C-alpha cells in the first residue's frame, strides 16, 4: 500500500535525465536482503517443480539444470510478488515516468544457470532485441514511443561480468535499428550492467538489450516487472486468482488490471484509477 515513504522516493531529475538520454538507470539497494531471500525462495520453488518434471511449459520442451528458465505471469502465484508491484523505493519512479493511467502488463522471472565447464568461454551472438514484438514493426513513428518500462530486481549478485549480466546499449532506445557485427562480437557501445542482489534496473522497452552467457558458479536470477498504459494490451494471461485480487487495496487492483469497464482504460474515471486520486490527495499532481 502507498504511504509517505512513496512520496520520499519519487523520481529525481538525474534519474529521469538518465532514462531519457541512456534508456536506463539503476536504483541501488532497492530491496532489503530479507525480502530478496523471500523472493528467491518463491521463484526457486516454482523452478524446482518444473526442473523435477524435466519440462519447460513456456518453451514446451525438455529442461535440464543448465537451461535458461523463463517464467511469465508470476504475479498471481504469491501475494509477495504483488507486494513488490508498488514497492516504495521504486514504484514512485514508475508513475514519475509514465503517469497514473498504468498497470502491470507483463511480468516474468528468468533463471540463468552456469554453463557447463566444457563450453565456458565460448562466444556466440547475444539475442539483442527491443521489447514489445510487433509493436516495433507496426507502429507509425520514429523513434518509436516509449509505451512501457520494466523494472528488474536482481536476486543474485551480478556485480561482476561473466555472470549472465544484463547488457544494454546506452542511448539505443532512440534508434529503430541495430547494427550487429558479422562475427558475433558485441555491438558498439554494448555495456554490461553490473548490479548486486537487491539492486533494481529501470529500462525503457525500446533500449536494445540482451542476456549474456553465465560462465560463473552463481545462478543468475532476476524478477522483471513491466508497467505500461492501461490501454496497452496485456502481454501475459494475467491469471490473478479472485481471492488474491480482492484482498488487495484499490491501487494494487488497478496495477493488476482492474477497472470499471473496457472504455475506462482509454477514458478513465476516478473509479478506474485510484492511483490518480491518491496522487491528487497528496498534492503530487493537480486536480
Amino acid at each position: 500500500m502507498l504511504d509517505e515513504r512513496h512520496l520520499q522516493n519519487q523520481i529525481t531529475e538525474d534519474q529521469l535525465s538518465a532514462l531519457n538520454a541512456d534508456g536506463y538507470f539503476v536504483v541501488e539497494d532497492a530491496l532489503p536482503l530479507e525480502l530478496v531471500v523471500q523472493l528467491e525462495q518463491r521463484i526457486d520453488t516454482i523452478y524446482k517443480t518444473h526442473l523435477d518434471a524435466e519440462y519447460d511449459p513456456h518453451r514446451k520442451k525438455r529442461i535440464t539444470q543448465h537451461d535458461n528458465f523463463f517464467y511469465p505471469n508470476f504475479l498471481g502465484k504469491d501475494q509477495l510478488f504483488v507486494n513488490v508491484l508498488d514497492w516504495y523505493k521504486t514504484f514512485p519512479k514508475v508513475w514519475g515516468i509514465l503517469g497514473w493511467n498504468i498497470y502491470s502488463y507483463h511480468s516474468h522471472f528468468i533463471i540463468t544457470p552456469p554453463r557447463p565447464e566444457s563450453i565456458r568461454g565460448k562466444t556466440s551472438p547475444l539475442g539483442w532485441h527491443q521489447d514489445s514484438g510487433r509493436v516495433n514493426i507496426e507502429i507509425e513513428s520514429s523513434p518509436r514511443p516509449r509505451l512501457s518500462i520494466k523494472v528488474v530486481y536482481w536476486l543474485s549478485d551480478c556485480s561482476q561480468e561473466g555472470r549472465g549480466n544484463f547488457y544494454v546499449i546506452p542511448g539505443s532506445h532512440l534508434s529503430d535499428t541495430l547494427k550487429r557485427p558479422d562475427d558475433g562480437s558485441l555491438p558498439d557501445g554494448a555495456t554490461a550492467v553490473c548490479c548486486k542482489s537487491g539492486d533494481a534496473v529501470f529500462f525503457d522497452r525500446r533500449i536494445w538489450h540482451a542476456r549474456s552467457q553465465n560462465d560463473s558458479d552463481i545462478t543468475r536470477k532476476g524478477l522483471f516487472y513491466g508497467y505500461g498504459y492501461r490501454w496497452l494490451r496485456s502481454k501475459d494471461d494475467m491469471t490473478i486468482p479472485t481471492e488474491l485480487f480482492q484482498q488487495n487495496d484499490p491501487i494494487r487492483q488497478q496495477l493488476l488490471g482492474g477497472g470499471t469497464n473496457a472504455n475506462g482504460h482509454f477514458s478513465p474515471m476516478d473509479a478506474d484509477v485510484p492511483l490518480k486520486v491518491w496522487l491528487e490527495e497528496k498534492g503530487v499532481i493537480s486536480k
Side-chain angles (χ1 to χ4, degrees):
M1 296 179 63
L2 305 195
D3 55 38
E4 293 300 314
R5 296 175 300 171
H6 290 76
L7 301 178
Q8 298 165 10
N9 284 277
Q10 295 184 69
I11 195 165
T12 67
E13 290 186 7
D14 286 346
Q15 289 168 338
L16 191 55
S17 294
L19 184 72
N20 289 332
D22 299 328
Y24 80 105
F25 65 87
V26 178
V27 175
E28 295 186 353
D29 302 315
L31 300 179
L33 179 58
E34 57 269 25
L35 180 55
V36 170
V37 171
Q38 292 174 334
L39 291 166
E40 185 176 18
Q41 290 172 342
R42 301 299 199 280
I43 71 168
D44 282 350
T45 298
I46 295 172
Y47 175 51
K48 185 177 186 304
T49 297
H50 295 286
L51 197 60
D52 288 347
E54 300 182 338
Y55 184 70
D56 183 334
H58 178 71
R59 296 190 302 163
K60 295 181 170 54
K61 61 186 294 186
R62 187 172 183 268
I63 185 175
T64 73
Q65 62 179 339
H66 294 297
D67 292 322
N68 298 317
F69 185 67
F70 177 94
Y71 190 87
N73 190 27
F74 67 76
L75 278 176
K77 296 296 183 182
D78 198 292
Q79 177 64 49
L80 191 66
F81 296 137
V82 176
N83 292 350
V84 179
L85 261 182
D86 61 1
W87 188 248
Y88 72 94
K89 282 193 175 182
T90 49
F91 183 59
K93 305 177 195 307
V94 176
W95 83 54
I97 297 166
L98 295 175
W100 45 260
N101 192 39
I102 56 175
Y103 81 121
S104 180
Y105 79 109
H106 181 37
S107 65
H108 65 269
F109 67 76
I110 302 177
I111 293 179
T112 308
R115 287 202 292 180
E117 291 279 359
S118 60
I119 61 172
R120 290 190 185 185
K122 293 183 178 180
T123 59
S124 59
L126 303 186
W128 293 99
H129 66 283
Q130 294 176 307
D131 286 344
S132 305
R134 290 199 63 83
V135 167
N136 300 314
I137 299 171
E138 296 167 354
I139 204 155
E140 299 177 2
S141 67
S142 181
R144 298 163 182 138
R146 179 174 286 153
L147 296 180
S148 64
I149 63 167
K150 277 184 180 172
V151 182
V152 52
Y153 299 95
W154 296 112
L155 307 184
S156 56
D157 184 0
C158 296
S159 59
Q160 301 177 25
E161 291 189 42
R163 295 182 174 181
N165 301 75
F166 179 64
Y167 267 77
V168 298
I169 301 177
S172 63
H173 59 302
L174 302 178
S175 178
D176 296 340
T177 59
L178 175 67
K179 184 177 180 181
R180 298 172 175 82
D182 295 334
D183 59 2
S185 59
L186 294 174
D188 290 342
T191 302
V193 182
C194 294
C195 293
K196 62 186 182 300
S197 56
D199 289 351
V201 180
F202 286 67
F203 64 99
D204 189 311
R205 70 159 195 96
R206 301 168 296 176
I207 195 170
W208 289 89
H209 60 282
R211 173 194 53 79
S212 60
Q213 299 291 352
N214 185 0
D215 285 344
S216 72
D217 294 322
I218 295 173
T219 297
R220 178 246 208 190
K221 302 172 185 177
L223 271 177
F224 292 72
Y225 286 76
Y227 298 86
Y229 297 110
R230 293 176 59 251
W231 40 260
L232 185 68
R233 187 177 179 90
S234 172
K235 199 173 185 293
D236 291 332
D237 292 332
M238 291 293 286
T239 47
I240 310 298
T242 300
E243 182 180 356
L244 186 148
F245 181 85
Q246 292 179 343
Q247 73 188 21
N248 281 280
D249 75 295
I251 293 177
R252 283 184 179 168
Q253 289 181 359
Q254 173 186 328
L255 298 179
L256 292 171
T260 60
N261 55 44
N263 188 54
H265 292 84
F266 294 84
S267 301
M269 300 179 293
D270 284 355
D272 293 297
V273 282
L275 173 60
K276 169 180 173 287
V277 176
W278 190 87
L279 292 174
E280 288 174 341
E281 291 175 348
K282 298 300 181 180
V284 177
I285 61 174
S286 300
K287 291 188 177 181

